[in-house]
Amino acid sequence: MKPASPSPTLPVALVEALLTTAIWGSSFVVAKIGLRSIGPITLAGLRYSLAFVLLLPFLLSRVRHSGWPPASILRRLALLGIAAYLVGNGAFFIALQVVPSTTVSFLMGLIPILILVGSLTWLKESPTPRQVLGLIISLLGTALFFVPGIDATVGHGLPILGLGILGFGFFGLLGRSLARDRQVDSLMLTTVPLGVGGAGLLIAGAFVEGPPHLTTEGAAVVAWLAVVNTAIAYLLYNHALQRLTALQMNLVLNLSPFVTAALASLLLDERLLPLQLAGMLIATIGVAQAQRTRRAEATAAETASPLPGR
């Protein structure tokens, strides 16, 4: 039997976590560049389908040793793909046409709050006082972010963005229930939904936007998003989790919207007001507080796949 690869040292794991944060923080900026030449549904479909192809050999190798899960689990994984990629990412990529990339990244960073609220009724998980405090802080920060007002054009994209957030929220709840019960590992939880959702997006894109006509820039964006922002980022994430706890990893990933804001300012000329930056900081602190789970819950969270779409 081949020995397992050694866990990374703490400094290496922290570097991997920071790299993952930087990569996922760039996703919406790179995607917005791709939207100049590719329709949003087609762009999302190409990204996730290509990422699925890249991860498929690892999945098949795993299946050869341990077999496929029961059909009931596969159906739930397919439902995850529909919720997270077809609905969640499809809506996010459409919204990116009019909503600033930093706003999209910021609101996506609040999805753990939605999952916390949903877990109260669906998963029967009672929040700790610290989590309730985090929820309140994050809502205050979000309100502060939108105090300067919303441009009418951006406002038209927010309902579509809201649909995507609901899709991601459903993914997080169902994915957590699968991981908590140890029904699938992170590779299966990542790859199968990726294939189902990517295929669904490509089919929807063909009907709505027609066959893709990739420019050199468009092809480069698709390849970058699939290889770097999806496949490599997930591998870095999972490798770092061999040393870091889920809480430590999530605290680092909470910095993603700030990476998006910096890149959007540099590459897309999207500027944030100081009040909006303060709102982002307050909301991020709230999310960090809300993610502090009990010890028993944290053990289950170690196997959970991160939210897709980064």
Side-chain angles (χ1 to χ4, degrees):
M1 180 178 176
K2 184 178 179 179
S5 58
S7 299
T9 62
L10 181 58
V12 170
L14 288 173
V15 170
E16 290 175 333
L18 288 171
L19 282 175
T20 303
T21 300
I23 290 171
W24 278 338
S26 73
S27 291
F28 293 119
V29 176
V30 176
K32 195 142 191 170
I33 294 173
L35 291 175
R36 297 170 182 170
S37 58
I38 309 174
I41 302 175
T42 301
L43 176 59
L46 289 172
R47 171 190 177 178
Y48 296 117
S49 295
L50 180 54
F52 167 73
V53 171
L54 293 173
L55 292 174
L56 184 59
F58 299 97
L59 177 64
L60 293 178
S61 176
R62 179 72 57 83
V63 168
R64 280 196 295 268
H65 290 88
S66 56
W68 289 98
S72 60
I73 299 299
L74 289 175
R75 285 194 293 268
R76 295 173 73 181
L77 290 174
L79 187 59
L80 284 177
I82 294 171
Y85 296 101
L86 185 57
V87 177
N89 278 288
F92 268 48
F93 274 64
I94 293 172
L96 268 175
Q97 293 179 300
V98 294
V99 180
S101 55
T102 301
T103 302
V104 176
S105 181
F106 168 63
L107 291 178
M108 185 176 183
L110 299 178
I111 292 175
I113 299 298
L114 178 63
I115 296 173
L116 171 63
V117 174
S119 67
L120 302 182
T121 55
W122 189 9
L123 302 181
K124 309 300 182 184
E125 296 177 350
S126 299
T128 64
R130 187 187 295 272
Q131 288 175 317
V132 173
L133 176 62
L135 172 61
I136 295 172
I137 293 173
S138 66
L139 291 177
L140 290 174
T142 303
L144 190 62
F145 181 87
F146 288 107
V147 161
I150 303 172
D151 182 83
T153 303
V154 173
H156 293 154
L158 290 181
I160 301 174
L161 194 59
L163 176 63
I165 289 174
L166 289 176
F168 282 123
F170 180 80
F171 168 88
L173 288 170
L174 183 56
R176 180 174 172 80
S177 69
L178 286 170
R180 184 183 63 179
D181 298 334
R182 299 284 204 270
Q183 294 173 309
V184 292
D185 60 22
S186 60
L187 180 61
M188 185 76 67
L189 189 58
T190 298
T191 308
V192 174
L194 202 60
V196 173
L201 284 166
L202 284 180
I203 294 171
F207 276 102
V208 176
E209 300 167 350
H213 301 285
L214 292 180
T215 63
T216 302
E217 179 184 75
V221 166
V222 169
W224 184 271
L225 286 173
V227 176
V228 178
N229 290 58
T230 305
I232 291 178
Y234 271 91
L235 292 174
L236 285 171
Y237 172 91
N238 286 320
H239 192 249
L241 272 181
Q242 295 179 28
R243 173 67 60 178
L244 303 179
T245 66
L247 173 61
Q248 290 170 330
M249 175 63 81
N250 286 333
L251 290 176
V252 177
L253 292 179
N254 285 337
L255 300 174
S256 288
F258 296 95
V259 176
T260 304
L263 291 175
S265 176
L266 180 65
L267 300 176
L268 302 175
D269 199 30
E270 295 179 0
R271 310 291 181 184
L272 289 179
L273 298 174
L275 189 62
Q276 291 177 299
L277 287 171
M280 282 178 57
L281 178 60
I282 292 172
T284 299
I285 292 172
V287 172
Q289 290 293 318
Q291 288 174 324
R292 291 180 179 274
T293 58
R294 298 182 180 90
R295 184 179 300 274
E297 294 170 346
T299 302
E302 299 293 340
T303 61
S305 173
L307 287 172
R310 295 288 191 175

